[in-house]
Amino acid sequence: MSASYTHLSCQLLLLLMVCRHVNTKNTTVITEPPVETSGPNTPPVAPLTPLQTGQKSVVLTGENHTEKVEVVNPVTLNLECAWTGNNKRLPNITGYWTKDGKTIETSYSNIQLQNGRYYLRREFSIMNEEDLGTYSCIFDPKAKVDFILAAPYLGEVRDKPIVSYVGDSVVMICKMDEKKPKPLSWNWYKQNGTNKVKIEVDSPGHRYKITKDEKKAKLVVHNLTESDSGLYYCGAVYGIGTSVGYLQLRVITYFEPLKPFIGILVEVLVLVAVILIYEKTGSKKDDQSGAEGNPDQNTNQLHGENAAADGRSSTRQRKV
Amino acid sequence: MPPPATTNLGYTPPDGGWGWVVVLASFISIGFSYAFPKSLTVYFKEIQEYFGVSYSEIAWVSSVMLASMYAAGPISSVLVNRYGSRPVVMVGGLILSAGMILASLGTSIIHLYLCVGVIGGFGLAFNLQPALTIIGTYFQAKRPLANGLAMTGSPVVLFTLAPLNQFLFDSFGWRGSFLILGAIVLNCCVAGSLMRPVNKMAVPKPKAEPAEVNGAEDAAAEALRIEDNPKSQSCVHRFIDFSLFKHRGFLIYLVGNVVMFFGLFAPIVFLAPYAKHQGIDEYSAAFLLSIFALADMFVRPATGFIGNTKWIRPKIQYFFAFAVSYNGVCHLLCPLFSGYTGLVVYAIIFGIAFGMVCALLFETLMDLVGAKRFSSAVGLVTIIECAPVLLGPPISGAMVDTFGEYKYMYYTCGVLMLLPGIFFFIMNYYNYKKLEEEQKQSASVEMRTAEDSTQQKLVQKDDLTNETEK
């Protein structure tokens, strides 16, 4: 935390110089990524470049509101809450800020009613992953606005396990939304016990293949074995930190689908046998009783021959 | 007027009894034929990633399967003409199953095209044609109802397969799912085993019908022919009946249907994307398709029932023309439905329209050509319809891409349905008139020959009695 405070003082100086030129908007999003001069494999930009400043304002009319803020690079963020007040409309109330549930001690302040609203503002410097989290401004009775600061979420990650087979290969893909900022790079990790082990392409056996492009990272694992089952993480690296999505892989043998297959096969054979036997026995009964209505075509000709003598009479009967 | 059953078929169809079991069997077969290609789309995303191909390449699997099913129609017809429905359906089930099992071992996208697409499509064709044909052999008076019920198989099986496929995919991945689907489609063999050849009683089924006048058949000539040896069939009918191309009703049906099929399936394919384009979220857009399928499901048997009533049955062609035109009007009005409620209403109306057309689709063909030639007719129709079925959605897709808007595509589809509808009205009016004339003519001919033949028979009987007396 002390490091961030020294950073804060540096920035205050910078801000005083840069402030006038920075565009502070009153409403939605901000954070423009800095100009990329380095390639995607180099580590995040050093904090010597002038920091972006952003502003996020929320007007609270009820008791609760949640606002998601996407942070891509280190930034100095001005958060502002404006509360319209409750029935009482006291001229003075107290408000404070919390981060991840813990009160920020120095943030207690008295708030005057201004233009029908209570304003609570604070500046936060978001430098690294630890600074991300939920910042809440709380107006003393009950009103609260939560700002959830996070790196861009990985949207299109499959939440159910990916199933594959022993000896087969599997393709796992992590994609960042088109509209969201591009990550600097991608990393893949596998869960080994309680550790996250980074997957390197040149691991023994050449079983892993990683393909990366700006919006998408693909991990291909060849020659699967059952020990390859488990959790895999894909990380999208941004200036502020890594946004992680997880995928679960399940490797099974061919025997698993074979069981329902054989079950259904047996069912079909039994049904077909029953139907055909029922038909045969039904036709045998008819044969024995000598009645007409015989579904078996073989006996039709016999019948036809017998009926030749009274053929004419039967045709006459059947005239429309 | 539809041809009277007894004179045309040579026997009285049961119109019930085991016939209803056959309807159930056809329900299953038809259901698999139409719903199976559509339900495979659940697997496409994973297969696409696995093989590293684009979405359109993977979508071709469904298209190849549908095309193969339609193209194999004539082969299926030939086999049904020769061997009857039951063996063909059972073989079809086996082929389809083999195709899916081979596909589960696939190593490339071409492998899938061949196994799922071509082999699977053949299996489906061997299910579709016989299932439709056998209904015609079991039903005459209640045939529209039977057809409507059997065609309900398509939405019902789709409704069942969609969540089932999702479950299989989550549990077993695409390979295991294909293997298990290979077993599930073997139930087509069960359906096939239920398709008992209809009992024709003492009379063998006379197949040779050279240059048959549409519908109107000479009863006396039929009676004389009955005593022929059942094995002497004309060579043409052992294979396929190309004389259908001279059949007026068949030609009307063919021309109208080919145009209609261009615009029939595209609106369904684009319903969800159109909704998303209007800003509706993915789940609600998918729900629209479920609403459509539900409306479809209930309308099909209802249409069959209505088609069976004594007011509609004689002029069922007009009912079909009405259904087709209604589809056209529905699409033309589609751009007026805006917002989610509007689209829900459109989905319901479209579902009703589509269900009506599908329920009557094959009933009208049976009505025009008669149950005996239906097998050949449907084979010829499906292979010619192959082109519009395949080309319809991609052309519509191209239209959407060029104009950037869906409404032009809907207008086009509307026109493509409305024109055949009007065409059917006019041409069937003309056809009904001609049929009436021909019936009057043949009735007078029949009277004359009946008199002649009864005289002949009386003479013969006298001879016989004289002989026995001696």
Side-chain angles (χ1 to χ4, degrees):
Chain A
M1 278 314 264
S2 57
S4 63
Y5 278 120
T6 47
H7 273 164
L8 188 59
S9 43
C10 285
Q11 279 146 43
L12 279 174
L13 285 169
L14 281 169
L15 269 177
L16 286 170
M17 292 187 281
V18 172
C19 204
R20 273 169 283 154
H21 304 287
V22 174
N23 182 22
T24 51
K25 296 179 213 151
N26 237 351
T27 39
T28 38
V29 213
I30 12 72
T31 55
E32 302 143 27
V35 176
E36 276 302 305
T37 46
S38 41
N41 288 326
T42 54
V45 186
L48 285 179
T49 53
L51 273 176
Q52 301 293 313
T53 313
Q55 165 113 3
K56 203 89 170 79
S57 302
V58 168
V59 178
L60 177 68
T61 45
E63 277 190 5
N64 257 317
H65 182 77
T66 307
E67 186 83 10
K68 284 191 190 165
V69 183
E70 215 171 70
V71 181
V72 182
N73 286 297
V75 69
T76 307
L77 201 56
N78 264 316
L79 296 175
E80 179 187 89
C81 305
W83 186 38
T84 52
N86 55 12
N87 307 328
K88 293 193 200 140
R89 292 287 167 132
L90 297 166
N92 267 323
I93 58 168
T94 50
Y96 59 96
W97 288 88
T98 61
K99 180 186 186 295
D100 293 331
K102 280 202 295 204
T103 315
I104 302 171
E105 294 299 331
T106 55
S107 66
Y108 275 100
S109 57
N110 281 320
I111 308 168
Q112 306 262 9
L113 187 58
Q114 264 181 325
N115 303 329
R117 290 184 188 168
Y118 301 100
Y119 289 91
L120 198 56
R121 293 181 195 86
R122 195 175 171 88
E123 192 182 84
F124 297 94
S125 84
I126 316 294
M127 290 293 107
N128 50 37
E129 262 190 279
E130 292 164 355
D131 295 328
L132 293 172
T134 309
Y135 289 84
S136 312
C137 63
I138 300 175
F139 295 93
D140 226 336
K142 258 199 213 173
K144 183 166 92 152
V145 179
D146 289 324
F147 293 91
I148 304 178
L149 271 58
Y153 284 118
L154 283 167
E156 291 179 43
V157 175
R158 188 175 157 77
D159 48 358
K160 287 184 237 171
I162 298 178
V163 179
S164 194
Y165 292 89
V166 174
D168 198 7
S169 59
V170 71
V171 174
M172 289 185 271
I173 293 189
C174 272
K175 246 195 275 196
M176 182 55 77
D177 230 3
E178 285 297 316
K179 303 173 207 155
K180 296 200 181 158
K182 297 178 217 167
L184 297 171
S185 74
W186 291 90
N187 283 321
W188 282 95
Y189 305 90
K190 186 181 187 317
Q191 182 87 6
N192 197 356
T194 48
N195 309 329
K196 274 193 225 176
V197 176
K198 185 161 175 199
I199 298 177
E200 304 290 347
V201 194
D202 48 359
S203 56
H206 297 283
R207 291 201 306 135
Y208 296 104
K209 199 179 99 173
I210 299 180
T211 330
K212 298 178 221 183
D213 67 37
E214 285 175 345
K215 290 281 182 178
K216 197 166 75 162
K218 196 155 74 158
L219 172 67
V220 183
V221 188
H222 296 289
N223 272 331
L224 286 167
T225 58
E226 283 190 334
S227 61
D228 286 320
S229 306
L231 273 178
Y232 287 76
Y233 297 91
C234 60
V237 180
Y238 287 99
I240 194 63
T242 310
S243 179
V244 173
Y246 73 92
L247 290 164
Q248 195 180 0
L249 178 66
R250 236 183 84 206
V251 182
I252 55 179
T253 58
Y254 269 107
F255 290 115
E256 288 219 21
L258 211 55
K259 290 180 238 164
F261 175 80
I262 292 180
I264 300 175
L265 192 62
V266 166
E267 168 247 322
V268 166
L269 287 172
V270 164
L271 278 176
V272 172
V274 163
I275 292 169
L276 291 177
I277 291 173
Y278 173 71
E279 193 176 314
K280 277 262 151 59
T281 53
S283 72
K284 275 193 197 139
K285 273 190 212 156
D286 287 341
D287 227 4
Q288 286 166 0
S289 65
E292 37 134 287
N294 193 335
D296 198 350
Q297 278 181 347
N298 286 333
T299 59
N300 255 356
Q301 288 170 0
L302 250 179
H303 213 251
E305 283 172 62
N306 288 340
D310 24 289
R312 279 174 225 122
S313 54
S314 66
T315 52
R316 253 191 234 129
Q317 279 167 11
R318 273 186 40 265
K319 224 179 178 178
V320 177
Chain B
M1 297 280 272
T6 44
T7 52
N8 201 18
L9 289 167
Y11 67 96
T12 317
D15 265 308
W18 191 256
W20 296 116
V21 181
V22 170
V23 168
L24 174 68
S26 299
F27 179 96
I28 297 172
S29 277
I30 294 175
F32 272 110
S33 302
Y34 280 117
F36 195 71
K38 290 183 212 163
S39 66
L40 288 180
T41 49
V42 173
Y43 302 108
F44 283 175
K45 196 162 178 217
E46 196 196 321
I47 299 180
Q48 178 196 349
E49 287 170 6
Y50 182 84
F51 288 121
V53 294
S54 68
Y55 188 78
S56 60
E57 284 181 284
I58 194 76
W60 269 104
V61 171
S62 254
S63 306
V64 170
M65 193 174 207
L66 206 59
S68 181
M69 176 173 101
Y70 271 62
I75 303 175
S76 189
S77 297
V78 165
L79 291 172
V80 171
N81 280 337
R82 186 87 191 269
Y83 299 109
S85 293
R86 173 186 264 171
V88 182
V89 173
M90 293 183 82
V91 168
L94 288 172
I95 294 177
L96 181 58
S97 176
M100 291 309 287
I101 296 173
L102 285 174
S104 76
L105 305 167
T107 49
S108 74
I109 191 87
I110 309 283
H111 192 122
L112 282 187
Y113 287 154
L114 282 176
C115 295
V116 177
V118 177
I119 300 178
F122 262 73
L124 290 179
F126 287 7
N127 266 287
L128 181 65
Q129 252 77 300
L132 294 167
T133 312
I134 202 169
I135 294 179
T137 64
Y138 266 88
F139 287 89
Q140 175 58 38
K142 298 205 184 119
R143 202 178 58 201
L145 180 60
N147 264 313
L149 283 171
M151 292 298 283
T152 317
S154 174
V156 168
V157 171
L158 184 61
F159 219 69
T160 333
L161 274 184
L164 179 67
N165 275 344
Q166 188 64 49
F167 168 73
L168 285 177
F169 176 58
D170 291 336
S171 317
F172 298 106
W174 71 269
R175 285 189 193 272
S177 301
F178 277 14
L179 187 67
I180 296 176
L181 280 175
I184 292 177
V185 296
L186 278 177
N187 283 300
C188 291
C189 293
V190 176
S193 64
L194 286 170
M195 291 184 186
R196 250 185 238 174
V198 68
N199 172 29
K200 310 246 178 68
M201 313 204 7
V203 184
K205 179 172 159 183
K207 284 191 189 164
E209 302 291 330
E212 174 188 285
V213 170
N214 183 17
E217 177 110 34
D218 195 349
E222 182 70 6
L224 284 173
R225 210 181 291 137
I226 279 161
E227 295 172 54
D228 280 353
N229 192 331
K231 286 192 188 134
S232 67
Q233 300 160 16
S234 94
C235 192
V236 169
H237 281 273
R238 286 164 72 81
F239 298 103
I240 209 162
D241 187 4
F242 286 107
S243 72
L244 279 166
F245 283 112
K246 294 187 215 143
H247 192 289
R248 195 175 46 238
F250 179 75
L251 288 173
I252 297 173
Y253 181 87
L254 192 62
V255 169
N257 268 42
V258 166
V259 178
M260 180 181 90
F261 266 68
F262 272 107
L264 188 63
F265 294 114
I268 311 170
V269 172
F270 287 104
L271 185 60
Y274 178 53
K276 280 186 240 178
H277 183 79
Q278 293 212 334
I280 296 169
D281 67 278
E282 202 169 321
Y283 290 107
S284 308
F287 189 60
L288 281 176
L289 280 173
S290 306
I291 297 175
F292 167 80
L294 271 176
D296 188 7
M297 211 186 288
F298 287 108
V299 160
R300 289 194 197 201
T303 312
F305 182 73
I306 296 174
N308 222 85
T309 56
K310 63 175 193 271
W311 304 287
I312 307 272
R313 182 83 196 274
K315 304 284 174 189
I316 204 167
Q317 302 295 332
Y318 290 142
F319 191 34
F320 182 61
F322 165 72
V324 176
S325 321
Y326 171 41
N327 253 299
V329 168
C330 194
H331 296 322
L332 285 173
L333 294 177
C334 175
L336 296 175
F337 293 104
S338 57
Y340 190 60
T341 356
L343 281 180
V344 168
V345 171
Y346 170 70
I348 297 174
I349 297 181
F350 179 29
I352 295 174
F354 188 75
M356 282 171 74
V357 168
C358 283
L360 295 171
L361 195 62
F362 293 108
E363 170 58 31
T364 43
L365 184 59
M366 263 187 231
D367 183 65
L368 285 168
V369 303
K372 260 200 308 254
R373 301 169 86 187
F374 176 74
S375 169
S376 312
V378 78
L380 293 172
V381 159
T382 48
I383 196 172
I384 296 176
E385 278 170 1
C386 199
V389 161
L390 271 188
L391 295 176
I395 293 181
S396 310
M399 276 196 81
V400 170
D401 289 336
T402 357
F403 291 109
E405 271 207 65
Y406 285 85
K407 64 177 187 185
Y408 296 109
M409 182 209 70
Y410 277 101
Y411 288 148
T412 322
C413 289
V415 168
L416 283 174
M417 300 287 290
L418 197 56
L419 284 180
I422 299 174
F423 173 76
F424 279 133
F425 267 120
I426 301 173
M427 294 309 287
N428 278 306
Y429 175 70
Y430 163 70
N431 193 34
Y432 275 140
K433 282 219 134 151
K434 276 274 178 180
L435 282 176
E436 278 173 26
E437 283 170 34
E438 283 161 5
Q439 270 224 319
K440 283 183 202 156
Q441 274 180 9
S442 67
S444 57
V445 169
E446 184 189 307
M447 296 245 299
R448 268 182 277 130
T449 47
E451 285 169 17
D452 289 342
S453 73
T454 42
Q455 276 185 4
Q456 220 183 14
K457 283 174 191 170
L458 283 169
V459 168
Q460 282 180 353
K461 201 177 184 187
D462 287 337
D463 289 341
L464 246 181
T465 45
N466 289 338
E467 276 180 42
T468 48
E469 271 168 13
K470 282 183 189 165

